[in-house]
Amino acid sequence: MLGMSANSVSYNDQGSSVESGVDAAQENSNIQASISGGAAAFSLFSADYKKNEDLKEMLESNKESLKLEAMKRVVGLIANGKNASELFPAVVKNVASKNIELKKLVYVYLVRYAEEQQDLALLSISTFQRALKDPNQLIRASALRVLSSIRVPIIVPIMMLAIKEAATDLSPYVRKTAAHAIQKLYSLDPDQKEHLIEVIEKLLKDKSTLVAGSVVMAFEEVCPDRIDLIHKNYRKLCNLLVDVEEWGQVVIIHMLTRYARTQFISPWREDAIFDENSEKTFYDSEEERRVDQSKPYIMDPDHRLLLRNTKPLLQSRNTAVVMAVCQLYWHLAPKHEISIITKSLVRLLRSHREVQYVVLQNIATMSIQRKGMFEPFMKSFYVRSTDATHIKTLKLEILTNLANEANISTILREFQTYVKSQDKAFAAATIQAIGRCATNISEVTDTCLNGLVLLLSNRDETVVAESVVVIKKLLQTQPSQHSDIIKHMAKLFDNITVPMARASILWLMGEYCEHVPKIAPDVLRKMAKSFTSEEDIVKLQTVNLAAKLYLTNSKQTKLLTQYILNLGKYDQNYDIRDRTRFIRQLIVPNEKSGALSKYARRILMAPKPAPVLQSAFKDRDRYQLGTLSHTLNSQATGYLELSDWPAAAPDQSVRNVEVVEPVKESGAPSLGKSKAGKSKEKFYSDEEEEEEEEDEESNSEDSSSSSSEESESGSESEENSEVSNKSSSSQSEKSSSESDSDKKKKTQKNKKIQQQKPDSKNRKQKNGNAGKSESRSESESGSGSSSSESSSDSGSESGSELESDSDSGTDQKKNTKSKPVQSKPVVKVEKKEVSLLDLDDFAPTPVTTPKSSILSPSLLSDLQGLSISPTSALQASSPVFVPETSYELLHRMTGKGLSGQYRFTRQPCIYDSSMVSLQLTLSNSSEQPLENIHISQKSSCAQNIHCFNAVERLEPQASVTVSIGVNFNDSTQAANFQLCTKEDEFSVSIQPAVGELLLPVSMSEADFTREQGKLLGMNESSATITMSPENISSQSVSRKVVSVANLGVISSTQENIHRFAGKTVSSSSLVLVSVTLKDPDAQITVNTEKSVMGSMLLRQLKTALGNSAT
């Protein structure tokens, strides 16, 4: 206790004194100005101390409600960036609380401050260890997360033990947390590597999609070189990939890229043979294999499996996933298949500029080697005026790479426009690009040269200077034909002031002085006059010019050369002094000079090779695409090099994992035999049963029962197909082999069950119910293993099951499908094994849901309680009514001719799901055009605003419509920002009505009633109003309500009750409105967690519906 109190006092002293003092001064307005400085300081800090003391008292009270309220305030402080570390002793006392909600908040706090307050956190180690055994999976995971955040070497053995236990936990969420903890422990103590590799090896065998991404990340961090750990899990990871979370998909794809480069032969060989069905060679007989040996190369089926399973991810909404798949295809796919990534990469160019930058860098690298990939989409790389400079430069790079004889005229027309850009850096880069095109395509060299010469008369010095530099490089290719250009540049020499351009002209004069014998001496004369005022680079080229003219035309330039060499001898720059001494000894022979002066002409006038203008991205392909190293063009920390293709194919049998199947057979040998017998019996009566099945389907009385039996037979046939495939050695074959057998076996099973119809009537009804409610019950039945431990905790049951539900992924869905027909637990385990390894098998076998008419009322009532998540049945719907009303944003008088109006579109925002979508109409009522209309980035606004792209120019009497997104944070507080033009800034604000902060949702009447029952008490607001009889029609009520608020209409079986549902845009909180008509009154009820919004919405609805009575 002494240590804890001392620690808290020290943190009080060390806390941000100035900041806390200002806060306290604002709160304690009764402090008088006459108080002395010392007394004022004491009162300020004592007030701050009392404020924290209040939280401490609440945390140390005996009431759970006070503790919970205090923890909410503390976590709120952390979320706002405040320092709450001084409350650590009071918070850590509540770590053993039995209240689940309180314990969750305490763990959130501890994860944040455990590393700072290590000594105090160590006192609670025993509590965390006990929490690792908690029935609630969230508590177990949080305890492990806190434990791994205490970075003290002394507890490494405890962390190691906790990670090993969590790795075998029944909950996939806890196992995922264990994978995250592995990386923390490894960074704390690298000596634990061998023990951690054992845990990683165990977790790699995990069947849950939730765990896959996290454990692969741990693998990449701890032991990326242990490729042998991936062998047995390769096919499983390929098949699970489509269902893994997006973050995990990126990690797995990058790891599999490295794996494939070490395990498969290069598909880029000229003698390669490609066949989409080449997997069959994996199972061919010996004779067929001998024949195939004559073929030089056939793609490995596992290589094809990876390419096939990653291809659908090109349509992912996550740009990182798309980029990862593109780099995988670039590094692994045959050259004729790489082009399928082109459209996906071009699609990403519609994203934010940060995404564009990375994607364009990768496209620039690709376009050097494979121009044909992106040539059809050349227009996508045209520069827009709203692009940032770095985006423009990258697009310019790509257009230059794509240039060829066919499209060069189009590209040069684009470049002519870019040269006139106001962006000087971009205009200079365009001139460089024109030079590259002239070098690469000889047909347009003269055209480009003439165009660049015209640019020499441009008013902009930057353009002229860059043109001179590029012309100099181009003239080196064929100088004898372009003496006129050199003369023209000499005439412009006096007007050019950029040092690099002047130096380039001087170099040209000296290098080709024989082509301009009259002009070169005159240029040297001018340079002799201004030598002392020139830049160093110009002085160096002047010395060079003097030396070359001395050797070629010494009569005219001898005295000038001596004068310039004397000036250079005493120059302030030592480089110029050294160059002058060297040149003098080289070109002026005397008794001291050696034999070198004899070769002066050969040294100075030697022919120089023409410079090669290359892309800056030419050598970037040495780094893996999509990596930080590729973006920086420098090897980043942690970069793993992509290995070369192996010369000989490694043994592909190391990826065979079917050896473990007999373990399942031993658990139920009789079951396997009986199933095999059934399969044979069906096989021999195949044709007969198919004919009878057609008759059966034509019978309308049995249509509903046959559909329910089909779902049962589908799952059984999948089990049969698993038994028949046990001898197969590759998981990649199952999807193709089972799809055909499933269809036949369904037909056979339907007929067989039809014959046994009297005996199985009850089971069919239950099966029908399971098919009907599959979408609701799959999460509950699938999370049996992970949520069952928390059944004793009624307080957190729904939250625990919800998280477990979403975590369990595809494997739980597959379990749900097989559950209605399984009577033995052994079969359940066996079915789970197949569904996890083979995700594609279920695609061709949809479950037909029976009509609700065959369900008894009691079963229907049971089904209503199957939904675990309150939002599981919610679906966003389109708005019922979109108002055309516009509100004034800026008056034309205030805006000096610029006026603006805004309206709410009531559509989901395309920029961010938590933003409200608005449409702005900007008009220019002045007589002058307005330029660069935009929203200031410096706008001091509490709301997050997605700005529109700047309007470059708005002509007089013209209008433009743009879209913006505003995150109002579920508040009617106005969003204030600055609307700017090139000369002015105007402060404007957007005031939202509470009804515009909602999005409509659709749900059933039963779901509405159930959700309404959860939002009672303080979450409910109601009022009674009087309405006239003529306005009580359902159409009138619905029209009034949806005009006030963006709600969806819920169909109702009761004529006098009208129901409406929506959700808040920012937090997705449910908002339920019901209007009950009781002639002549109407009761309006609003249910929502956002009580302030609920009361405001009720007030507006009363006004709207009350107006109808008048």
Side-chain angles (χ1 to χ4, degrees), residues 455-486:
L455 290 176
L456 293 177
S457 57
N458 196 293
R459 294 179 182 177
D460 187 3
E461 287 187 1
T462 310
V463 174
V464 174
E466 202 65 37
S467 301
V468 169
V469 174
V470 173
I471 289 173
K472 170 211 158 190
K473 294 177 180 177
L474 292 178
L475 288 181
Q476 286 183 254
T477 57
Q478 37 190 352
S480 58
Q481 302 175 17
H482 301 292
S483 58
D484 292 340
I485 295 177
I486 299 175

Side-chain angles (χ1 to χ4, degrees), residues 230-276:
I230 304 299
H231 289 322
K232 300 294 183 185
N233 304 289
Y234 171 80
R235 292 167 187 158
K236 181 195 72 177
L237 288 173
C238 288
N239 287 321
L240 286 179
L241 190 57
V242 73
D243 288 318
V244 175
E245 59 184 347
E246 293 168 343
W247 175 85
Q249 286 175 342
V250 176
V251 176
I252 294 174
I253 290 171
H254 279 282
M255 186 275 292
L256 291 178
T257 304
R258 288 195 307 108
Y259 177 86
R261 285 292 287 258
T262 63
Q263 299 300 311
F264 306 129
I265 304 178
S266 171
W268 303 337
R269 290 162 46 181
E270 295 181 0
D271 55 358
I273 296 174
F274 301 101
D275 182 8
E276 282 294 329

Side-chain angles (χ1 to χ4, degrees), residues 988-1009:
V988 296
S989 64
I990 295 177
Q991 180 71 49
V994 66
E996 305 298 341
L997 303 178
L998 307 175
L999 284 175
V1001 297
S1002 60
M1003 60 169 64
S1004 65
E1005 185 179 4
D1007 287 337
F1008 184 100
T1009 306

Side-chain angles (χ1 to χ4, degrees), residues 732-883:
S732 62
E733 283 303 297
K734 288 190 176 180
S735 59
S736 58
S737 64
E738 287 186 6
S739 58
D740 295 333
S741 62
D742 282 351
K743 294 178 182 177
K744 293 182 181 179
K745 291 176 183 178
K746 277 186 195 174
T747 307
Q748 299 157 7
K749 185 69 180 175
N750 280 339
K751 180 59 188 172
K752 191 156 189 176
I753 295 179
Q754 184 66 24
Q755 293 172 354
Q756 301 170 352
K757 191 174 179 182
D759 300 328
S760 58
K761 190 169 185 180
N762 293 332
R763 188 176 63 177
K764 284 189 290 181
Q765 281 193 342
K766 291 179 182 177
N767 236 357
N769 283 337
K772 174 93 175 193
S773 62
E774 181 179 354
S775 63
R776 297 184 189 175
S777 64
E778 64 184 16
S779 54
E780 185 174 80
S781 61
S783 61
S785 62
S786 59
S787 301
S788 59
E789 303 99 318
S790 58
S791 59
S792 62
D793 244 331
S794 59
S796 65
E797 184 72 12
S798 61
S800 168
E801 289 182 359
L802 173 59
E803 186 139 356
S804 166
D805 192 46
S806 61
D807 291 342
S808 298
T810 310
D811 48 342
Q812 296 180 356
K813 294 183 181 179
K814 305 299 160 57
N815 282 339
T816 308
K817 290 189 179 183
S818 61
K819 190 171 181 179
V821 297
Q822 292 167 347
S823 58
K824 296 185 180 182
V826 176
V827 184
K828 185 173 182 179
V829 174
E830 178 179 309
K831 182 66 191 77
K832 182 175 181 180
E833 192 81 5
V834 174
S835 65
L836 287 166
L837 293 177
D838 229 341
L839 298 180
D840 296 332
D841 290 353
F842 292 88
T845 57
V847 179
T848 308
T849 55
K851 295 179 181 178
S852 59
S853 58
I854 67 167
L855 300 175
S856 64
S858 60
L859 289 175
L860 279 173
S861 63
D862 291 341
L863 287 176
Q864 293 176 356
L866 286 178
S867 177
I868 295 176
S869 166
T871 57
S872 61
L874 298 183
Q875 293 182 352
S877 59
S878 56
V880 180
F881 173 78
V882 180

